[in-house]
Amino acid sequence: MLAEKIPDWLQVYCEKISSLGAFSGKTANHVLVNEYKQGEGIMPHEDGPLYHPTVTTISLGSHTLLDFYTPISRSDGEAPQTEESRFLFSLLVKPRSLLILQDEMYQRLLHGIRPCDQDTLTDKVVNLSAAGALPGETLTRDTRVSLTIRHVPKVMKAKLILGRK
Ligand SMILES: O=C(O)CCC(=O)C(=O)O
Ligand SMILES: [Fe+2]
């Protein structure tokens, strides 16, 4: 991964979040900006080993439900595992919120966002009361922008790479 300067306005948030201790004393140096139009999602995935095992996300514009899944198990002889059967629970992620995920939730489980226009909240949304929401409530999605802010331990300075023979 190549280092580039983070814009000043965003650096402010990188520093604020890092000062909470999210990256074990390191300062965030990586921001991924995703935009989801109403109805768009992201398929279940893991983010890979490149990052410090903590991910922090600022959400803007709309709520979403972030869904968690067990990984596909490799043992033979088992019935095929559907996405539905691997689904564990969701988090209601509100606009203007900061979500911090780490350890097992981030490293072992897969996360994703179902592509849909509306979310009806159930008891599978495990942070309902903390998010001030009620079971049975239906929330309509709008455009959401997420800023995923992390610390990447290994970055290369562009100068070094370009200077290589
Ligand atoms: O938008 C989000 O909150 C999740 C984004 C995500 O999982 C990713 O870009 O890897
Ligand atoms: Fe992700």
Side-chain angles (χ1 to χ4, degrees):
M1 210 168 272
L2 284 179
E4 251 185 84
K5 188 179 177 310
I6 292 177
D8 291 343
W9 67 269
L10 199 46
Q11 183 65 22
V12 170
Y13 297 100
C14 289
E15 286 172 18
K16 274 193 180 179
I17 292 171
S18 305
S19 72
L20 302 173
F23 309 107
S24 311
K26 302 281 194 316
T27 300
N29 59 358
H30 185 274
V31 183
L32 175 70
V33 181
N34 286 354
E35 182 188 64
Y36 304 84
K37 296 274 192 307
Q38 191 189 44
E40 289 180 346
I42 183 167
M43 59 188 287
H45 64 279
E46 48 186 52
D47 289 350
L50 208 54
Y51 303 104
H52 182 280
T54 303
V55 63
T56 70
T57 307
I58 295 176
S59 291
L60 300 170
S62 176
H63 84 280
T64 200
L65 288 189
L66 188 62
D67 304 316
F68 291 83
Y69 300 84
T70 49
I72 295 174
S73 88
R74 308 257 176 259
S75 54
D76 291 335
E78 270 183 24
Q81 297 160 351
T82 61
E83 196 168 294
E84 200 185 336
S85 70
R86 293 190 295 117
F87 169 71
L88 291 172
F89 55 83
S90 306
L91 288 176
L92 172 58
V93 180
K94 298 185 77 172
R96 300 169 60 90
S97 69
L98 171 67
L99 175 69
I100 302 182
L101 287 181
Q102 59 189 1
D103 299 333
E104 188 171 357
M105 260 179 86
Y106 180 62
Q107 287 183 293
R108 193 178 78 80
L109 303 183
L110 277 67
H111 55 275
I113 297 171
R114 285 191 186 99
C116 60
D117 292 350
Q118 290 192 321
D119 298 292
T120 298
L121 305 179
T122 68
D123 59 5
K124 285 288 196 182
V125 183
V126 291
N127 67 330
L128 272 192
S129 63
L134 293 169
E137 222 178 303
T138 296
L139 303 177
T140 301
R141 289 191 197 170
D142 204 335
T143 299
R144 170 172 175 267
V145 172
S146 66
L147 306 175
T148 303
I149 297 179
R150 321 186 223 223
H151 178 256
V152 178
K154 288 183 187 154
V155 284
M156 288 184 173
K157 296 274 183 316
K159 264 189 281 182
L160 286 178
I161 291 191
L162 296 174
R164 252 188 219 162
K165 291 264 154 67

